[in-house]
Amino acid sequence: MNAQAKVALVTGGARGIGDAIVQGLQGAGSKVFSLDRSAPEHPRDGVAYLEADVSDPVSVAQAFRAIDAAGTGIDTVVHNAGIQRSGLCGQMSFEDWSKVLGTHLNGMFLCATHAIPRMIAQGRGGAIIGIASTAAFVGLPGRGPYTAAKAGIVGLARCLAVETAPHRIRVNAVAPGFTRTAIIEDAVANGSLREDWMLERVPLGRLAEPLEIANAVKYLASDDASYVTGQTLVVDGGWSTQGMHHSPAWLQQAAA
Ligand SMILES: NC(=O)c1ccc[n+]([C@@H]2O[C@H](COP(=O)([O-])OP(=O)(O)OC[C@H]3O[C@@H](n4cnc5c(N)ncnc54)[C@H](O)[C@@H]3O)[C@@H](O)[C@H]2O)c1
């Protein structure tokens, strides 16, 4: 099926990376539903904005019933909604832990639970994409539940890929590095992140723009990725591949 005929659901589509994914998939010709607990900051023409909480089974079920009522079917699900809570394990509340796990990991499970039977019944395959993070692969101190949830999204994508392959459903993840959105601006404002800490280890020397993450999602949702499943595409400006980030002057000159 070509992009023009696809129908996509994007969680957390009201702003930030989710809004860029909405824009990217719409630009590729998809009909797009956004599922977000908040109203969109800048609503896009033609997008159906559903207000729902991705961590709440009843709310997610209602959102999928709204898609059923539209009669479009569903081809692509991008689980992008996310939150952040900072604190050391040992000091962090169970409530904060549960909120982060509930949004990222339960959210992916709930969306997949509703999408997969519908995709199977339609018989036209499908694509499910979870937005992970480079935090899935390294320990980010003070972000225990986030790190655990993002690693969980990578693992769940692999498992679902194998389970649903017989139905031509592909399941992948995208792992962004630091991307210029409100979640990062909030962390800088509350002192838990600093821009120079982020940039120090990014070989490309800048933060990602949301549309650069959306481009990776657009690829995985498209038929160009028809043989790609169970993978995590890392989009981090080289952050996770850099070994030493300090080097002698002769090496810096040679690289300049
Ligand atoms: N910005 C980054 O540097 C970065 C890096 C790696 C991964 N990510 C991931 O990318 C995704 C998007 O991040 P962002 O920077 O655009 O964040 P953001 O805070 O700008 O947007 C998140 C969106 O998710 C929605 N949301 C949160 N909880 C929800 C819930 N329970 N139900 C429905 N909607 C909910 C919010 O209302 C918001 O619209 C997140 O999963 C985040 O962890 C971001």
Side-chain angles (χ1 to χ4, degrees):
M1 170 171 291
N2 61 26
Q4 282 69 25
K6 286 184 176 165
V7 180
L9 172 70
V10 180
T11 73
R15 71 174 197 183
I17 292 172
D19 174 56
I21 294 169
V22 166
Q23 188 186 357
L25 293 177
Q26 200 181 33
S30 293
K31 157 81 188 155
V32 183
F33 292 87
S34 161
L35 182 167
D36 202 297
R37 63 182 176 179
S38 306
E41 287 182 355
H42 307 287
R44 296 186 181 280
D45 286 348
V47 174
Y49 289 96
L50 309 172
E51 219 163 292
D53 179 345
V54 80
S55 67
D56 175 2
V58 175
S59 189
V60 176
Q62 266 169 7
F64 272 85
R65 279 200 295 275
I67 297 172
D68 291 343
T72 54
I74 185 83
D75 302 291
T76 306
V77 171
V78 185
H79 174 48
N80 157 84
I83 57 169
Q84 184 61 274
R85 296 285 184 277
S86 302
L88 292 175
C89 287
Q91 297 170 5
M92 174 173 282
S93 69
F94 180 67
E95 192 193 354
D96 277 351
W97 167 272
S98 304
K99 276 200 169 129
V100 176
L101 268 288
T103 305
H104 293 273
L105 195 49
N106 295 356
M108 172 119 169
F109 168 77
L110 289 171
C111 289
T113 295
H114 286 281
I116 288 167
R118 286 168 170 82
M119 288 174 175
I120 292 173
Q122 286 166 190
R124 60 190 201 220
I128 299 174
I129 298 149
I131 302 302
S133 163
T134 46
F137 310 111
V138 295
L140 286 187
R143 290 179 171 75
Y146 186 80
T147 304
K150 292 307 196 185
I153 285 177
V154 168
L156 184 57
R158 286 195 197 109
C159 178
L160 294 178
V162 177
E163 288 183 3
T164 60
H167 305 285
R168 291 184 298 114
I169 299 169
R170 297 178 300 100
V171 188
N172 292 288
V174 169
F178 297 114
T179 308
R180 200 175 291 284
T181 67
I183 215 172
I184 290 292
E185 278 157 16
D186 291 349
V188 171
N190 70 27
S192 65
L193 258 186
R194 275 182 20 196
E195 187 144 342
D196 57 323
W197 296 347
M198 292 183 268
L199 292 184
E200 189 180 41
R201 293 184 61 97
V202 181
L204 285 181
R206 61 178 177 82
L207 302 186
E209 294 301 328
L211 271 176
E212 295 179 298
I213 310 305
N215 285 339
V217 172
K218 199 166 65 174
Y219 162 68
L220 288 172
S222 77
D223 292 346
D224 288 345
S226 53
Y227 203 55
V228 182
T229 196
Q231 303 304 307
T232 299
L233 180 48
V234 178
V235 187
D236 69 348
W239 185 84
S240 57
T241 54
Q242 174 150 283
M244 280 195 304
H245 60 279
H246 292 295
S247 52
W250 66 266
L251 195 49
Q252 289 172 25
Q253 281 158 14

